[in-house]
Amino acid sequence: MSELTAEETDFEAFRDIPTTTLADLLGVEQVMDIGIRPLWGPMPRLAGPAFTVNCPPGDNLMLHAAVHRAAPGSVIVVESGDLRYALAGGNVCAVAQRHGIAGFVADGVIRDLAEVRDLGFPVFARGIVPIPGVKEAATPFGLPVRCGGVRVEAGDVIVADEEGVVTVPAAQAPTILTAARAKLAKEAAQSLDDWERAHRTRIEEILKARGFEG
């Protein structure tokens, strides 16, 4: 079977790939900072194409608009950076879920956590605050955003789980998926005894190269 192109990315397949595996392959530049975290748990792994939204501090208009425009399966990724005003609450999350949105990854905060948790709607964000933002600033959809310190473009693959959030650039997605599957298969075939022997050998070689004795 030929490798998929970026346009044919199997987003669903990324739900089987842990963020730890992706982080090993992509490096720290594609891993959002630890402030972007699951707001309830245990949360199923989230994976899908990024629908990018920019909300100025204190304003949530475009996230609220996005839930009616993003395609089913999308992960709405929000640049905000504001910790004072909620980007969304229980009803917005419920409507997003009704429309097939896979989840939110937001560099900001939400409210109505109990409602969101009861819905089972995945939200990765910086936290919770009770007061909502205003709805004034209309900004374009689909532009690159920065979320958790990572540049995200529309259509990039977002994968998020309890370990963190990783962005897979769209152009690399098919290659990374193939590499991730191979890495996981190799790890599954290796016993802990085999891993320990290889690990000890590697560590001892590094110590010796650095002149460590003891």
Side-chain angles (χ1 to χ4, degrees), residues 40 104 120 139 142:
W40 56 267
F104 293 164
T139 58

Side-chain angles (χ1 to χ4, degrees), residues 2-206:
S2 61
E3 187 174 276
L4 294 172
T5 67
E7 292 74 19
E8 300 168 327
T9 299
D10 186 354
F11 296 104
E12 186 69 24
F14 275 93
R15 289 188 183 171
D16 297 328
I17 310 299
T19 55
T20 49
T21 300
L22 295 172
D24 287 346
L25 295 170
L26 288 162
V28 68
E29 293 81 6
Q30 297 305 125
V31 180
M32 294 187 189
D33 72 55
I34 62 172
I36 311 296
R37 62 189 187 277
L39 295 188
W40 56 267
M43 188 179 293
R45 183 171 297 123
L46 172 64
F51 185 94
T52 55
V53 178
N54 191 308
C55 288
D59 197 299
N60 61 27
L61 174 62
M62 298 317 291
L63 173 55
H64 287 230
V67 303
H68 301 288
R69 289 166 171 78
S74 298
V75 177
I76 295 180
V77 180
V78 187
E79 177 177 343
S80 171
D82 185 80
L83 301 180
R84 301 169 300 163
Y85 298 97
L87 289 163
N91 284 343
V92 170
C93 291
V95 170
Q97 186 178 61
R98 176 183 288 178
H99 288 198
I101 305 303
F104 293 164
V105 174
D107 200 329
V109 293
I110 70 161
R111 69 178 194 166
D112 302 330
L113 178 59
E115 295 178 30
V116 177
R117 182 173 55 237
D118 288 346
L119 287 169
F121 184 71
V123 178
F124 290 75
R126 292 199 181 273
I128 310 298
V129 75
I131 187 167
V134 300
K135 296 170 181 60
E136 295 178 353
T139 58
F141 291 128
L143 297 180
V145 298
R146 290 198 70 82
C147 187
V150 176
R151 177 185 169 93
V152 181
E153 297 190 14
D156 286 350
V157 184
I158 303 298
V159 183
D161 58 24
E162 63 184 3
E163 302 282 351
V165 185
V166 178
T167 300
V168 183
Q172 299 180 44
T175 300
I176 292 297
L177 179 59
T178 298
R181 284 170 164 168
K183 188 174 190 300
L184 289 170
K186 180 180 179 180
E187 291 171 352
Q190 186 180 47
S191 70
L192 180 58
D193 288 341
D194 290 339
W195 186 92
E196 182 180 1
R197 281 192 292 271
H199 177 260
R200 181 168 185 174
T201 297
R202 176 170 174 264
I203 296 303
E204 294 302 323
E205 288 174 350
I206 294 171

